[in-house]
Amino acid sequence: MADDTQGAAAPQPGNAPSMNLVGQYIRDLSFENPGAPGTLLGGGANPAFNVSISVGVKKQNDEIYAVELTLNAKANRDETVLFNVELVYGGIFRLKNVPENQLSPLLMIECPRLIFPFARQVLASVTQQGGFPPLMMEPVDFSAIYRQNLAKLAAQQGGAAAPEAGEAPKPN
């Protein structure tokens, strides 16, 4: 039987890029239900929702990064605030042997994609425990957010040329 790797360098297991989720945490959780119990009793028009999400990365050491999602959700009916929730949900990731040009997309797209379902569940649970139907966020396209942030960064740099493919802003 012929060896398919003949003439090719075999990958070194110790040098292969790897990403591991070490842990997850809630850094901040705030839920305000200012009109309770009145807002839970009254019917009326469907509420208006405003939901936002942002991603932050903090380097802990050479291999460890904390990736945090900040989710803000607010529901209003007319001028009345029904609820306001802020959640900062994080994941601790160990990255080894990741090429520099792949580091930022990995931290800003793939890592948030892994922890988002857990943050979404916390948000749904806390709104339900506050007396409302669970707020189920739609899936998030972290790749689109990343591209928007790159475009914003290029614009802030005085119209300088956008980063080339594979280049990205460095996480702090």
Side-chain angles (χ1 to χ4, degrees), residues 1 39 46 65 76 97 104 124 133 151 161-162 168 172:
M1 183 179 234
T39 53
N46 285 336
Y65 293 84
N76 295 316
N97 303 315
S104 188
N172 40 344

Side-chain angles (χ1 to χ4, degrees), residues 126-148:
V126 76
T127 54
Q128 186 175 34
Q129 294 301 313
F132 300 95
L135 178 59
M136 297 301 291
M137 285 184 67
E138 294 291 323
V140 174
D141 184 354
F142 289 101
S143 182
I145 293 172
Y146 180 70
R147 287 190 306 270
Q148 288 171 355

Side-chain angles (χ1 to χ4, degrees), residues 6-139:
Q6 185 176 355
Q12 300 296 325
N15 293 335
S18 68
M19 177 181 75
N20 300 91
L21 178 59
V22 177
Q24 297 179 65
Y25 58 93
I26 294 173
R27 188 167 58 84
D28 185 24
L29 176 59
S30 171
F31 181 81
E32 298 171 21
N33 191 352
T39 53
L40 299 174
L41 299 173
N46 285 336
F49 291 94
N50 183 12
V51 181
S52 66
I53 185 168
S54 64
V55 178
V57 176
K58 295 177 186 161
K59 186 173 185 174
Q60 305 299 304
N61 64 38
D62 286 342
E63 294 182 346
I64 304 292
Y65 293 84
V67 177
E68 292 183 342
L69 300 176
T70 300
L71 305 172
N72 291 296
K74 188 174 186 179
N76 295 316
R77 182 176 290 128
D78 300 321
E79 297 299 316
T80 304
V81 174
L82 300 177
F83 68 79
N84 190 9
V85 62
E86 178 182 342
L87 170 64
V88 179
Y89 191 88
I92 302 168
F93 293 87
R94 176 176 286 120
L95 305 177
K96 291 183 180 179
N97 303 315
V98 175
E100 188 69 29
N101 67 341
Q102 295 176 8
L103 188 60
S104 188
L106 185 65
L107 289 167
M108 300 299 289
I109 299 170
E110 296 306 321
C111 292
R113 192 183 327 230
L114 287 173
I115 62 174
F116 175 74
F118 302 98
R120 177 183 173 195
Q121 181 58 43
V122 171
L123 188 64
S125 179
V126 76
T127 54
Q128 186 175 34
Q129 294 301 313
F132 300 95
L135 178 59
M136 297 301 291
M137 285 184 67
E138 294 291 323

Side-chain angles (χ1 to χ4, degrees), residues 3-9:
D3 185 0
D4 290 336
T5 61
Q6 185 176 355

